[in-house]
């Protein structure tokens, strides 16, 4: 096995050692070091390798593993290491050519087989170390979810979360030790009283039901989804702004003058590959943005407290920038000077002074200039009339 990389990332299930492939058994027989969780090590067949227990938290074991570079090492992981597994975490530390993977059957596949659900129409979540609010964008009547959970005590928390969101009549199948001799299934509703304890490893198969409010898929979600002190880009303008920002896979956004965070949050809701940084100078608003992002399932939003352009120094360079507050000539000058060519820039102006800045910027750089005037029906005497909002000027350009 001289041509084999020093590290093998081996997926192992609850049916080990019987369920291990020939290639997996050969890797274990050839290994000098086998490193994994105590539960995984206990499932292994007899082998000559030195067994090293992976510590908790997971990150503390990475340096230990890398310290064995040059030996023949097997790293144990649950099921398929590259589907919400440990394999993806290791790739930040390993160059190509130093590793190979021998995946096992994923927990998602095992759960789908138990439930009889086609995986292509089932939403899959790995919440070992992530908040339950990650489920929020997916909650809608009839949606099926398979959720990997950190441990047994998380099951009551999951049920409580669903009830709080209005989905208490959802059916939940709690699946323990899938694929192994100790496999157990418990069917209940989210609003049932929890009876007994659940053991790790555990996942939940959920069919969502109830009167909860589903989150729309299109940009321009209702304002009520966002906690705000009144400073936010309102729903119709937000939809137009997201259209101008035009998110593309794996792009990064700067949202300058975050307010309630609605623009950055909707950007992140567009696709799980997207990332964003919101810059907000008022501490109370920065805290509110963080809370809004967590509640709506995009806790990956980075919130930077400070005033632009000073707060922009050292941040990950963006593919797209939105200026919704704090528009000034120094800020525009800084963006024009430091952003690389090809960066998309969208800025909204409400005051005459900020509108004038955008008119001058349009003269210098071109792009699209849009004036948005909206009116809503409102009571007027015994009838109704149109109540106009302040017009908004939007400039969008590729630098």
């Amino acid at each position: 096995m001289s041509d084999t990389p020093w590290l093998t990332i081996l997926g192992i299930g609850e049916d080990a050692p019987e369920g291990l492939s020939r290639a997996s058994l050969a890797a274990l027989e050839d290994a000098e070091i086998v490193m994994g969780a105590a539960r995984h090590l206990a499932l292994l067949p007899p082998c000559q390798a030195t067994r090293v227990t992976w510590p908790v938290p997971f990150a503390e074991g990475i340096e230990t593993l890398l310290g064995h570079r040059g030996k023949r090492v097997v790293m144990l992981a649950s099921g398929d290491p590259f589907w919400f597994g440990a394999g993806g975490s290791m790739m930040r530390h390993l160059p190509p050519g130093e590793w190979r993977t021998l995946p096992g059957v994923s927990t998602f596949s095992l759960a789908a087989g138990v439930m009889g659900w086609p995986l292509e129409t089932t939403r899959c979540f790995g919440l070992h170390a992530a908040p339950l609010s990650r489920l929020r964008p997916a909650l809608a009547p009839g949606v099926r979810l398979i959720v990997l959970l950190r441990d047994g005590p998380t099951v009551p928390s999951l049920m409580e979360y669903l009830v709080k969101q209005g989905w208490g009549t959802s059916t939940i199948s709690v699946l323990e030790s899938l694929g192994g001799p100790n496999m157990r299934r418990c069917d209940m509703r989210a609003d049932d009283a929890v009876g007994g304890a659940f053991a790790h490893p555990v996942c939940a198969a959920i069919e969502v039901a109830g009167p909860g409010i589903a989150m729309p898929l299109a940009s321009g979600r209702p304002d009520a989804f966002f906690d705000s002190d009144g400073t936010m880009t309102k729903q119709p303008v937000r939809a137009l702004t997201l259209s101008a920002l035009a998110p593309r896979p794996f792009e990064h956004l700067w949202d300058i003058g975050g307010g309630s965070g609605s623009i950055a949050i909707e950007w992140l809701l567009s696709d799980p590959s997207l990332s964003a940084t919101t810059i907000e100078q008022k501490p109370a608003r920065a805290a509110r943005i963080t809370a809004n992002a967590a509640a709506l399932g995009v806790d990956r939003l980075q919130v930077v407290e400070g005033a632009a352009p000073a707060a922009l120094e050292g941040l990950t360079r963006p593919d797209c920038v939105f200026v919704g507050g704090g528009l000034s000539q120094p800020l525009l000058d800084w963006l024009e000077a430091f952003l690389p060519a090809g960066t998309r820039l969208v800025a909204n102006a409400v005051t005459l002074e900020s509108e004038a800045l955008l008119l001058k910027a349009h003269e210098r750089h071109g792009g699209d200039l849009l004036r948005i005037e909206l009116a809503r029906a409102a009571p007027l005497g015994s009838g109704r009339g149109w109540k106009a909002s302040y017009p908004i000027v939007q400039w969008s350009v590729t630098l």
Side-chain angles (χ1 to χ4, degrees):
M1 297 183 66
S2 58
D3 294 332
T4 302
W6 70 271
L7 177 64
T8 297
I9 304 174
L10 174 60
I12 185 170
E14 297 300 306
D15 58 349
E18 290 80 4
L20 292 173
S21 67
R22 290 183 180 179
S24 299
L25 291 170
L28 290 169
E29 291 174 1
D30 187 64
E32 298 173 83
I33 303 288
V34 177
M35 188 169 175
R39 179 175 60 84
H40 289 150
L41 292 172
L43 294 171
L44 294 182
C47 61
Q48 298 300 313
T50 300
R51 302 188 182 204
V52 179
T53 301
W54 199 288
V56 178
F58 177 83
E60 293 184 3
I62 294 175
E63 287 303 317
T64 301
L65 179 74
L66 296 177
H68 294 300
R69 184 183 266 115
K71 300 178 182 179
R72 294 185 301 280
V73 180
V74 170
M75 171 187 169
L76 303 178
S78 295
D80 185 343
F82 286 91
W83 198 359
F84 293 106
S89 300
M90 288 303 304
M91 290 307 99
R92 295 192 291 269
H93 307 277
L94 292 168
E98 288 199 9
W99 58 276
R100 63 171 179 160
T101 183
L102 297 174
V105 179
S106 74
T107 304
F108 297 112
S109 294
L110 292 171
V114 170
M115 302 302 299
W117 294 353
L119 273 177
E120 68 270 18
T121 57
T122 302
R123 299 289 303 274
C124 298
F125 291 85
L127 302 185
H128 309 88
L132 295 172
S133 58
R134 293 272 181 94
L135 300 175
R136 181 64 185 91
L139 297 178
V143 171
R144 289 172 170 174
L145 313 171
I146 297 175
V147 185
L148 308 187
L149 299 172
R150 181 179 63 252
D151 52 27
T154 307
V155 174
S157 299
L158 170 64
M159 298 169 69
E160 181 181 349
Y161 177 75
L162 292 171
V163 171
K164 184 178 180 180
Q165 295 298 321
W167 307 105
T169 58
S170 299
T171 57
I172 301 178
S173 296
V174 181
L175 307 171
E176 302 168 71
S177 301
L178 276 174
N182 298 319
M183 185 268 182
R184 185 169 71 123
R185 172 177 174 173
C186 182
D187 297 321
M188 65 190 83
R189 280 189 9 166
D191 54 6
D192 286 343
V194 180
F198 301 98
H200 178 76
V202 61
C203 73
I206 307 166
E207 188 155 14
V208 181
I213 300 174
M215 191 180 298
L217 297 177
S219 298
R221 277 85 174 178
D223 294 343
F225 279 106
F226 305 94
D227 181 28
S228 171
D229 61 2
T231 301
M232 67 181 297
T233 305
K234 299 300 191 293
Q235 180 183 9
V237 177
R238 195 179 331 116
L240 291 169
T241 300
L242 265 294
S243 178
L245 290 170
R248 301 166 190 172
F250 297 99
E251 288 191 326
H252 185 68
L253 171 74
W254 281 357
D255 177 11
I256 300 175
S260 67
S262 60
I263 291 292
I265 289 170
E266 292 226 38
W267 167 279
L268 293 174
L269 287 170
S270 299
D271 190 84
S273 71
L274 297 169
S275 58
T277 300
T278 291
I279 299 90
E280 173 55 56
Q281 62 179 330
K282 294 188 176 182
R285 288 180 181 170
R288 186 177 287 109
I289 292 170
T290 299
N292 279 336
L296 296 175
V298 288
D299 53 284
R300 67 187 188 276
L301 174 62
Q302 179 189 25
V303 180
V304 174
E305 189 178 317
L312 305 177
E313 296 286 352
L315 297 181
T316 301
R317 282 289 181 259
D319 302 284
C320 199
V321 176
F322 172 65
V323 183
L327 182 65
S328 67
Q329 191 58 53
L331 174 58
L332 288 175
D333 291 342
W334 191 96
L335 294 174
E336 293 169 14
F338 288 97
L339 292 179
T343 304
R344 303 193 304 283
L345 174 62
V346 177
N348 288 354
V350 180
T351 67
L352 293 175
E353 290 77 11
S354 56
E355 180 179 328
L357 293 177
L358 295 188
L359 291 172
K360 292 179 181 178
H362 181 255
E363 289 179 2
R364 293 194 306 272
H365 300 285
D368 293 323
L369 204 59
L370 179 68
R371 182 179 171 91
I372 305 166
E373 298 188 62
L374 299 170
R376 291 183 182 274
L380 182 62
S382 59
R384 292 171 297 159
W386 293 109
K387 184 177 181 180
S389 302
Y390 286 113
I392 293 174
V393 172
Q394 183 181 91
W395 177 51
S396 55
V397 68
T398 300
L399 298 177

